[in-house]
Amino acid sequence: EDQVTQSPEALRLQEGESSSLNCSYTVSGLRGLFWYRQDPGKGPEFLFTLYSAGEEKEKERLKATLTKKESFLHITAPKPEDSATYLCAVQLRAQGGSEKLVFGKGTKLTVNP
Amino acid sequence: KAGVTQTPRYLIKTRGQQVTLSCSPISGHRSVSWYQQTPGQGLQFLFEYFSETQRNKGNFPGRFSGRQFSNSRSEMNVSTLELGDSALYLCASSWGGAGGAFFGQGTRLTVV
């Protein structure tokens, strides 16, 4: 069965304290890996797409990396406004030539000032 | 460019009732997917529609159904509501596949 596991479930950081979030996956037919940010009561906001091992993407204080079995979301010198739940999703080939996203349960990040 | 729009934002229904949720995708997007999000299970895939055809379906009972119209707008219907159906229902749209799907703000359904 396709599985996506995110760790830790929750992370508290002080402003400026860098850290990494992990997303490990056991799937067949990976087509891509996605990172989203979700604020309370809102829909997920797309951050990055990674397609092959070794690929890296950056946006402001965030950098996402991908290996054959996991992805990391590195947060450098975070600010309180980075507080959110970060979701990882793998894109798989589904029936009928379509695709689907399988999500992890997320990491809730809190950055204290 | 307008994003994905979901209506209504909030709903309170009674057990046994049925409900219809609506999703308007980003202009030009032909794929619409629906997800259920709960604190315990996270985001779970319900189904995907592309050009008015259901291409893929998740592991949910037949009480959950959907459709897509020729303008790519989609509706999701849940019949005979149960307490466990209380969740945030999210719609996502993309040009073709699920990749890079853009989400709406969701509809918060509470079943009492």
Side-chain angles (χ1 to χ4, degrees):
Chain A
E1 183 182 350
D2 300 318
Q3 280 196 322
V4 180
T5 304
Q6 290 189 246
S7 61
E9 289 184 15
L11 180 63
R12 285 186 174 272
L13 300 173
Q14 288 298 121
E15 185 172 2
E17 180 186 0
S18 301
S19 188
S20 296
L21 313 182
N22 178 264
C23 171
S24 62
Y25 54 90
T26 307
V27 301
S28 55
L30 177 74
R31 297 174 66 82
L33 186 140
F34 298 82
W35 283 98
Y36 291 87
R37 168 194 170 124
Q38 187 175 25
D39 293 299
K42 296 190 175 182
E45 175 190 345
F46 172 75
L47 293 174
F48 303 110
T49 309
L50 301 166
Y51 291 106
S52 55
E55 190 175 357
E56 297 183 353
K57 294 274 180 73
E58 281 189 71
K59 180 181 179 181
E60 296 180 355
R61 296 177 292 282
L62 301 176
K63 184 169 81 171
T65 62
L66 181 65
T67 71
K68 287 188 177 179
K69 292 186 177 181
E70 59 190 347
S71 177
F72 292 94
L73 184 66
H74 307 277
I75 303 176
T76 302
K79 298 181 178 182
E81 53 262 42
D82 294 323
S83 298
T85 295
Y86 290 85
L87 297 166
C88 163
V90 295
Q91 180 187 24
L92 305 174
R93 180 181 293 279
Q95 63 195 30
S98 68
E99 298 164 339
K100 65 175 183 180
L101 293 178
V102 177
F103 281 83
K105 294 190 176 181
T107 293
K108 184 177 181 180
L109 174 66
T110 304
V111 182
N112 296 314
Chain B
K1 189 174 184 181
V4 179
T5 304
Q6 291 187 245
T7 56
R9 289 294 313 278
Y10 303 93
L11 267 178
I12 299 176
K13 290 287 187 178
T14 304
R15 271 184 305 174
Q17 287 186 313
Q18 73 166 18
V19 66
T20 299
L21 313 181
S22 179
C23 172
S24 294
I26 292 171
S27 178
H29 285 190
R30 297 169 64 187
S31 170
V32 173
S33 299
W34 288 89
Y35 294 84
Q36 181 195 66
Q37 187 174 33
T38 58
Q41 298 299 318
L43 265 154
Q44 292 188 291
F45 173 75
L46 280 158
F47 28 66
E48 186 224 354
Y49 286 87
F50 182 85
S51 293
E52 302 179 65
T53 300
Q54 186 184 88
R55 289 201 301 188
N56 193 16
K57 191 176 191 304
N59 295 324
F60 279 83
R63 300 185 296 106
F64 291 82
S65 64
R67 59 178 175 169
Q68 187 181 34
F69 302 96
S70 58
N71 62 357
S72 293
R73 190 177 69 86
S74 177
E75 287 182 347
M76 189 193 99
N77 184 274
V78 187
S79 63
T80 318
L81 284 166
E82 301 177 359
L83 295 178
D85 297 334
S86 295
L88 180 66
Y89 289 88
L90 292 160
C91 163
S93 77
S94 68
W95 286 275
F102 297 90
F103 284 81
Q105 298 285 48
T107 294
R108 171 72 64 184
L109 172 65
T110 302
V111 182
V112 297

